[in-house]
Structures are given as C-alpha cells and as structure tokens.
C-alpha cells in the first residue's frame, strides 16, 4: 500500500500535476484530489492505488518503507 503523502511526494519529485497523474494512471482528476486529501493510506479500491503506483514506478519512482514505518519515495531511474 502507498500513502497519500507518498503520492504527493512522488508527484512533486516528477513535477507532475494531479491532471498529469490522472492521465498516466487512467484515473479521474477528482480521484486524485480525493486520494491526496487523506492522512495515511487512502480509503480506496486496491486497483486504484495499484494504477497510481504503477504509473509512478514506470516513471522511475521507487516506494520505500511501509505505511507504518518511514514511508517515502525516491527516484530510482532519473528522468531525462
């Protein structure tokens, strides 16, 4: 699972807007706004969070830690 803070951090690292993330993940802009408003793991369908995680990983983001133990992100493959 990923947290809302990780979603916001990954977007910032890639300089993606919510609209960009919605496009890359195939989800709606409204979903992005809702998911980022939570503290901790967003209350959402597993497939929705997986789509977001996959979009970020494809762009070179690596999710580290767990929701309960130092969750974070780092750039695995720098984007040119």
């Amino acid at each position: 699972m990923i947290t809302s803070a990780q979603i916001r951090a990954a977007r910032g690292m890639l300089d993606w807007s919510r609209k960009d993330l919605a496009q890359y993940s195939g989800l709606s802009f409204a979903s992005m706004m809702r998911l980022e408003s939570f503290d901790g793991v967003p209350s959402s369908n597993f497939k929705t969070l997986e789509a977001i995680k996959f979009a970020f990983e494809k762009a070179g983001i690596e999710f580290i830690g767990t929701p309960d133990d130092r969750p974070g992100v780092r750039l695995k493959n720098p984007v040119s």
Side-chain angles (χ1 to χ4, degrees):
M1 279 299 139
I2 59 175
T3 67
S4 294
Q6 286 175 301
I7 294 170
R8 292 188 300 270
R11 270 196 325 102
M13 191 170 273
L14 294 172
D15 197 25
W16 283 5
S17 67
R18 287 182 180 128
K19 186 176 178 179
D20 293 330
L21 179 55
Q23 178 183 348
Y24 294 131
S25 65
L27 303 169
S28 72
F29 177 79
S31 291
M32 296 304 109
M33 293 197 49
R34 185 179 56 79
L35 292 172
E36 288 190 3
S37 68
F38 284 87
D39 286 328
V41 176
S43 170
S44 184
N45 178 313
F46 177 77
K47 288 182 182 183
T48 299
L49 294 177
E50 280 298 303
I52 292 169
K53 188 175 180 210
F54 178 74
F56 281 136
E57 288 174 340
K58 188 173 178 182
I61 294 292
E62 182 177 5
F63 291 89
I64 56 176
T66 67
D68 299 323
D69 183 25
R70 299 178 296 160
V73 295
R74 63 180 165 210
L75 195 55
K76 185 166 77 171
N77 302 319
V79 178
S80 310

